[in-house]
Amino acid sequence: MCGIVGVTGKDSAVSILSNGLEKLEYRGYDSAGIYVNDQDGHDYLVKEKGRIDDLRKEVGEAVHGSTGIGHTRWATHGEPSVANAHPQVSADGRFYLVHNGVIENFQDLKQTYLSDVTFKSQTDTEVIVQLVDRFVTKENLSTLDAFRKTLSLLGHSSYGFLLMDKENPDTLYVAKNKSPLLIGVGDGFNVVCSDSLAMLDQTKDFLELQDGEIVVVKPNEIKITNQAGESVERKPFHVDIDAAQADKGTYPFYMLKEIDEQPNVMRKLSQVYLNDAGEPVINDDLMTALKAADRLYIVAAGTSYHAGLVGAKLFESLAGVPTEVHVSSEFAYNQPLLSAHPFFIFLTQSGETADSREVLLNVNEQHFPSLTITNVPNSTLSREATYTLLLHAGPEIAVASTKAYTAQIALEAILAKALGVATNQLAADDFDVKQQLALVANGMQALVDEKDTFEKISKDALLNTPNAFYIGRGLDYAVSLETALKLKEISYVQAEGFASGELKHGTIALIEKDTPVIGIITQKNTAGLTRSNLQEVAARGAKTITIVTDNLAKEGDTVILPAVDERLTALLSVVPGQLLAYYTSLNKGLDVDKPRNLAKSVTVE
């Protein structure tokens, strides 16, 4: 949940590292640091608590070099501080290390090998850099062999390491297990990063690394070896993304830009996965595997889990296949009884979610087929699943996911339609997914064009409240969970999503005068019931807000959604929730894109 960058062979190393860290700041932003060496006897270590802008101020103009490493941190061991920021340094000042992940046995290693070392940080990372130094100085190992020996002691820990040795200042030592790292291939230089977005302005050609591999990177050389020390040959892949796509442009925050991009994402998915006749175009092998399944298991975390709840309804209603949705961190260590022929679908924006990957490893060991639906090609879950479908949503930088959520639901709808047609389900034959996604795109556009309306609702109802509730039934309940998450994660309002029928079974005790209760009403068979539940909370002083589809609207409703197929209303009803969260955070003066304690890509379990 942190960002790593490195470069060797470019005199502009400082600016490359700083710019790269800025692009990765969404992965962690409580502290940052760089180490650079100019190959001429001068080196510099600069670390600072806070954001990349704070680090830039400390770097100044004197710091320079042609090889360096950098890191932006999301704290796992030790509070945010300069001492705990990376790079961490060996006691003799020779070795410098940045690290993503968690070293599970760092206390045991510390006691076994380093009892005589005075530690300057609370991090597990410092243990690793001190071990490398110990094996070099005490056992006379080369840096590479010391690095390899250190890695052999880490068991099942997760890590992405980038190491520098002051005595070999043009060389980067790289290793990974569970945590993503890429090598960017340049002309006379090479780079390292935990996300290609960090280095797209330097190169678009990258080498993916497998768990357990060790890489030695020099300006004109990249040597990959496996755990046995054998050489590995691998061709780079090309990232076909314009670096400008990851810029905010004229927007004040990425989140607003990404909300506005949702109509185009719907159109893009139609272009990629539907032919001119509106028929899904899905890999034949994937369709064969899906048809053979007697039950689907959707595994995800956070916002992707909420998208899975909607997807389950789509698969059951359009394809007639029983579908379960599971939180990945629970499923990984408490696997339920499975059906005879399960098929697993992993929903993940980044393709690097550690909890989901743990499930996928178990699934692969049991030889079950799997599909990863992700926004990031060549990501870990994409590589390790049997099949992959890409979201084609473009880079999503804001911590609070918006367009990835709606892209996941739209792609689930396309896949459910394809499976239903393949298994002769009448509901799927009658479902014109191309037309409906076009209506969704137009409806989204109408909603995002009404930003002033949502800002006013936010100011009137949410800006000064300590808590809020979103309620609904069926699909509306699933959206209630997501919209509540959006509000709580970026505005810090204690928000919860509830099945509206459950309010009277305890939660209604929390209703006080002016407590905001947002009712989502898009399902005909439960609309009257949800309205009754809203009356119950209104009678106890709640300030009620309604988000209702046009065909179910009544006088006095707050937000009217354009009409689309009931199975896809989640794609529209979530947009007001996204905008309400955005404006509540904005008008509180908070950092919309970088909420406290959170990071974008959750690569620790």
Side-chain angles (χ1 to χ4, degrees):
M1 294 173 69
C2 310
I4 284 177
V5 291
V7 60
T8 180
K10 272 211 166 182
D11 290 336
S12 54
V14 172
S15 64
I16 291 171
L17 295 174
S18 299
N19 292 338
L21 289 177
E22 187 173 48
K23 292 183 176 70
L24 293 183
E25 196 170 22
Y26 69 96
R27 284 180 173 256
Y29 35 86
D30 59 44
S31 59
I34 63 170
Y35 169 75
V36 291
N37 194 301
D38 69 357
Q39 324 295 310
D40 197 28
H42 303 97
D43 64 330
Y44 308 85
L45 174 66
V46 186
K47 303 196 290 184
E48 185 56 89
K49 179 181 175 181
R51 304 291 177 86
I52 303 304
D53 283 345
D54 300 312
L55 177 66
R56 288 184 191 274
K57 293 172 185 175
E58 290 298 311
V59 169
E61 297 182 2
V63 177
H64 66 281
S66 58
T67 302
I69 58 178
H71 189 267
T72 179
R73 182 172 185 253
W74 185 86
T76 55
H77 292 74
E79 64 184 7
S81 67
V82 172
N84 289 330
H86 300 199
Q88 288 294 311
V89 190
S90 62
D92 60 5
R94 175 175 170 179
F95 296 98
Y96 297 79
L97 181 72
V98 296
H99 165 220
N100 290 347
V102 174
I103 306 305
E104 297 175 0
N105 60 339
F106 79 102
Q107 291 285 16
D108 291 339
L109 294 171
K110 195 174 182 178
Q111 294 170 6
T112 302
Y113 295 95
L114 303 169
S115 59
D116 60 336
V117 175
T118 300
F119 282 79
K120 297 180 180 180
S121 80
Q122 301 166 294
T123 67
D124 52 346
T125 308
E126 188 181 358
V127 173
I128 304 306
V129 75
Q130 302 290 14
L131 277 175
V132 172
D133 184 67
R134 171 59 56 95
F135 295 145
V136 169
T137 58
K138 301 296 185 182
E139 299 185 14
N140 201 32
L141 297 179
S142 68
T143 298
L144 180 58
D145 287 341
F147 192 36
R148 190 180 297 278
K149 179 173 180 176
T150 300
L151 297 175
S152 72
L153 301 175
L154 303 186
H156 298 291
S157 298
S158 64
Y159 57 79
F161 289 135
L162 182 50
L163 174 75
M164 279 188 68
D165 175 359
K166 187 187 293 189
E167 295 188 7
N168 298 290
D170 70 338
T171 305
L172 305 176
Y173 301 89
V174 185
K176 77 169 289 283
N177 186 54
K178 302 181 183 179
S179 187
L181 277 180
L182 299 170
I183 309 297
V185 183
D187 183 8
F189 73 96
N190 291 300
V191 297
V192 180
C193 52
S194 50
D195 189 320
S196 61
L197 287 178
M199 292 296 176
L200 285 177
D201 58 346
Q202 300 299 314
T203 181
K204 292 189 177 181
D205 295 317
F206 294 88
L207 289 166
E208 63 189 67
L209 303 186
Q210 305 292 338
D211 285 352
E213 292 180 338
I214 301 173
V215 191
V216 177
V217 182
K218 296 184 178 184
N220 292 294
E221 185 178 53
I222 300 170
K223 288 186 176 180
I224 305 174
T225 55
N226 60 22
Q227 289 176 310
E230 301 164 333
S231 180
V232 174
E233 297 295 328
R234 184 172 298 135
K235 293 182 179 180
F237 65 91
H238 187 75
V239 177
D240 191 18
I241 297 176
D242 187 340
Q245 285 185 269
D247 293 335
K248 288 197 297 274
T250 60
Y251 285 88
F253 289 97
Y254 281 107
M255 184 179 179
L256 189 61
K257 174 177 179 281
E258 290 157 9
I259 291 171
D260 277 1
E261 288 172 341
Q262 290 176 116
N264 285 335
V265 173
M266 298 298 103
R267 298 181 182 108
K268 177 69 173 179
L269 286 168
S270 290
Q271 291 170 1
V272 172
Y273 291 109
L274 300 173
N275 62 22
D276 291 341
E279 300 163 338
V281 181
I282 305 294
N283 178 278
D284 289 341
D285 290 341
L286 169 57
M287 292 309 304
T288 299
L290 282 167
K291 286 167 61 178
D294 60 359
R295 187 172 293 265
L296 303 181
Y297 294 83
I298 297 176
V299 179
T303 286
S304 295
Y305 170 74
H306 298 156
L309 295 174
V310 179
K313 299 293 185 183
L314 290 165
F315 283 110
E316 291 190 342
S317 65
L318 293 174
V321 57
T323 304
E324 298 180 14
V325 190
H326 292 271
V327 175
S328 54
S329 58
E330 288 296 306
F331 194 102
Y333 301 99
N334 296 281
Q335 180 175 298
L337 289 174
L338 301 177
S339 64
H341 303 287
F343 186 97
F344 286 82
I345 299 175
F346 293 86
L347 297 181
T348 165
Q349 182 272 326
S350 68
E352 302 293 349
T353 309
D355 292 321
S356 294
R357 193 199 178 204
E358 189 65 30
V359 180
L360 179 54
L361 291 174
N362 293 337
V363 165
N364 287 343
E365 286 179 1
Q366 297 171 83
H367 305 292
F368 295 135
S370 59
L371 164 68
T372 289
I373 295 178
T374 181
N375 201 33
V376 183
N378 297 101
S379 55
T380 301
L381 270 79
S382 172
R383 294 196 310 269
E384 296 181 351
T386 317
Y387 308 99
T388 294
L389 293 176
L390 296 176
L391 296 173
H392 296 286
E396 188 180 69
I397 306 301
V399 165
S401 178
T402 52
K403 63 179 180 176
Y405 169 83
T406 49
Q408 286 169 342
I409 292 173
L411 188 46
E412 287 175 307
I414 293 170
L415 189 59
K417 158 82 174 182
L419 181 56
V421 169
T423 55
N424 300 311
Q425 299 292 318
L426 182 60
D429 289 333
D430 292 341
F431 180 60
D432 190 339
V433 66
K434 186 169 188 176
Q435 180 190 33
Q436 288 300 320
L437 287 180
L439 292 174
V440 165
N442 292 339
M444 284 177 164
Q445 191 61 57
L447 290 168
V448 299
D449 286 344
E450 293 294 327
K451 292 184 178 67
D452 290 347
T453 298
F454 296 109
E455 184 168 19
K456 183 178 186 304
I457 296 170
S458 166
K459 286 180 176 179
D460 290 346
L462 298 173
L463 192 58
N464 298 307
T465 185
N467 49 36
F469 299 100
Y470 286 81
I471 65 171
R473 295 183 182 232
L475 286 179
D476 296 335
Y477 169 46
V479 178
S480 294
L481 295 173
E482 173 59 15
T483 48
L485 176 61
K486 287 283 104 41
L487 185 63
K488 76 174 74 170
E489 66 183 335
I490 65 170
S491 75
Y492 316 143
V493 173
Q494 176 59 43
E496 300 298 333
F498 283 96
S500 58
E502 285 294 294
L503 284 173
K504 56 186 175 289
H505 296 293
T507 305
I508 202 167
L510 298 176
I511 300 299
E512 299 176 339
K513 187 177 186 302
D514 291 331
T515 300
V517 178
I518 299 94
I520 301 175
I521 304 172
T522 73
Q523 307 296 297
K524 185 177 180 180
N525 67 325
T526 59
L529 294 169
T530 298
R531 287 192 184 277
S532 294
N533 300 136
L534 285 169
Q535 288 296 320
E536 292 165 4
V537 296
R540 289 153 177 85
K543 182 182 293 185
T544 60
I545 297 163
T546 51
I547 299 172
V548 189
T549 47
D550 182 73
N551 61 311
L552 299 174
K554 294 187 176 183
E555 185 177 351
D557 283 328
T558 316
V559 178
I560 310 299
L561 305 172
V564 297
D565 189 290
E566 271 198 3
R567 289 164 289 203
L568 295 182
T569 54
L571 292 169
L572 293 183
S573 59
V574 74
V575 176
Q578 294 170 346
L579 288 167
L580 289 175
Y582 173 82
Y583 283 112
T584 304
S585 179
L586 180 73
N587 289 307
K588 279 187 165 191
L590 303 173
D591 190 334
V592 176
D593 289 337
K594 303 181 182 72
R596 67 188 181 200
N597 303 333
L598 297 176
K600 182 65 173 175
S601 182
V602 186
T603 56
V604 294
E605 293 181 57

